[in-house]
Amino acid sequence: DTPPRPRLTTVDAGAGARRRSVAPGSIAGAGGSMPPGALPQGARLGVPKTAASPKKQMVARSTGEEDEKKRRFQRLRAECRRLSDNWGFAGATTALTLYALFGDDFRLAVTHRDLDVLFDCFTILCILVFTFEIVVSSLGVDEYFLGFFFLLDVGSTATLVLDLTWIGNAIFCSDGESEGALRTGRAGRAGA
């Protein structure tokens, strides 16, 4: 007759550690189970295992929250990378770039003043889309943030503010009353 096989029980090795099965009466050490009667160095007998302190529980909880935040950020970066590589998004920003380059000149040369509000709406749309593109590229494109193209995009987007008629009028004095004063000043310089 063979002796009965000892029943294995599961031992919790603490937060983050794997659970393992050991024979009753043995002490679980770092390398597996130890025979009954053998104690690992520094082990104490008769001390019941207590629950983790609230501070340790909070650390474990915050670590889980940090992992979740990291996973969310990685998902956001992946979505930004996908969007920055999307040909439709690139086509839309290219069309808006053409408007940004030539729209204000077209407005001044061809259209009536009543349509300035419409052009201002398109310019605001360009500013919003280009700002969104800068954020997406900063998150999704490696080495873009604070690089040459980042600075170029920020600078060109910032100059679009000058294409807004109410800002351009305030800075360059091109409303009706100020225009007369500028013409008079030019004429005075020409006569002098």
Side-chain angles (χ1 to χ4, degrees):
D1 287 322
T2 61
R5 195 168 184 190
R7 197 177 99 218
L8 298 177
T9 58
T10 302
V11 174
D12 186 6
R18 293 185 349 201
R19 294 177 157 236
R20 59 184 176 261
S21 299
V22 296
S26 65
I27 297 174
S33 62
M34 297 178 71
L39 290 176
Q41 191 170 7
R44 293 183 290 162
L45 284 178
V47 179
K49 183 176 178 182
T50 59
S53 68
K55 186 175 180 179
K56 286 184 181 179
Q57 289 175 352
M58 188 171 18
V59 169
R61 200 174 319 129
S62 67
T63 303
E65 291 170 1
E66 290 172 7
D67 290 343
E68 180 62 29
K69 286 180 183 178
K70 286 179 184 177
R71 280 193 295 272
R72 282 187 204 156
F73 183 71
Q74 292 303 323
R75 280 192 302 240
L76 176 65
R77 284 195 68 166
E79 287 297 316
C80 288
R81 187 172 293 117
R82 185 184 60 79
L83 184 60
S84 65
D85 292 339
N86 186 319
W87 66 269
F89 185 66
T93 56
T94 302
L96 288 176
T97 300
L98 291 174
Y99 168 78
L101 290 172
F102 304 113
D104 195 48
D105 295 330
F106 181 77
R107 174 187 67 87
L108 291 171
V110 178
T111 64
H112 192 269
R113 246 183 177 189
D114 296 337
L115 293 177
D116 285 354
V117 175
L118 179 66
F119 281 90
D120 287 341
C121 291
F122 277 121
T123 302
I124 290 171
L125 176 70
C126 285
I127 292 170
L128 293 174
V129 170
F130 292 153
T131 302
F132 178 72
E133 180 188 23
I134 290 169
V135 171
V136 165
S137 295
S138 294
L139 291 173
V141 177
D142 295 332
E143 299 179 12
Y144 173 81
F145 184 67
L146 297 180
F148 174 74
F149 290 108
F150 172 82
L151 296 175
L152 191 68
D153 288 345
V154 168
S156 61
T157 302
T159 61
L160 278 176
V161 173
L162 300 175
D163 286 351
L164 298 171
T165 55
W166 67 86
I167 293 176
N169 290 343
I171 292 174
F172 302 118
C173 302
S174 62
D175 60 344
E177 295 171 10
S178 300
E179 269 182 41
L182 287 175
R183 284 189 191 140
T184 305
R186 277 189 231 127
R189 273 186 250 126

